[in-house]
């Protein structure tokens, strides 16, 4: 599994936030698609597996698990965002509420 720092996520990337609904509602990285971790198996077809998929959570743990699942089950090129939304926010990157 690849990992990148928050400032290495390209603008316009396919960025998936896998946190719970209440976490996502509080704030999230701008431009994310929200699919809670437990819904990934049922909703993975909503993602474009032909493009790189960047996965983000709060701190990087859940997103790493989702990356591993998508790599093993779909064979997709997925990238874990190190430090998650906490690091994204701390870096002053665009957020939405």
């Amino acid at each position: 599994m690849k990992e990148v720092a928050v400032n290495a996520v390209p603008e316009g990337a396919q960025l998936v936030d896998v946190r719970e609904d209440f976490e996502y509602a509080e704030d999230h990285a701008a431009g994310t698609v929200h699919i809670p971790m437990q819904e990934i198996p049922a909703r993975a077809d909503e993602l474009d597996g032909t493009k790189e998929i960047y996965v983000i959570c709060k701190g990087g743990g859940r997103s790493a698990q989702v990356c591993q699942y998508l790599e093993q089950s779909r064979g997709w090129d997925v990238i874990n965002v190190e430090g998650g939304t906490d690091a994204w926010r701390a870096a002053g990157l665009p957020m939405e509420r």
Side-chain angles (χ1 to χ4, degrees), residues 7-84:
N7 58 3
V9 176
E11 188 173 328
Q14 182 174 210
L15 181 59
V16 183
D17 190 320
V18 297
R19 295 176 302 149
E20 296 295 326
D21 291 337
F22 73 91
E23 294 172 289
Y24 187 82
E26 184 177 311
D27 68 356
H28 51 272
T32 57
V33 172
H34 180 227
I35 304 177
M37 181 178 178
Q38 73 274 7
E39 296 179 21
I40 289 290
R43 296 181 56 195
D45 288 336
E46 295 176 27
L47 304 173
D48 184 350
T50 66
K51 297 180 181 177
E52 289 183 325
I53 300 170
Y54 292 80
V55 185
I56 192 168
C57 64
K58 180 176 176 11
R62 286 175 283 180
S63 55
Q65 291 176 42
V66 169
C67 286
Q68 186 175 33
Y69 170 79
L70 291 173
E71 285 180 343
Q72 291 175 353
S73 68
R74 302 289 181 123
W76 289 349
D77 188 16
V78 290
I79 302 158
N80 188 36
V81 179
E82 295 175 337

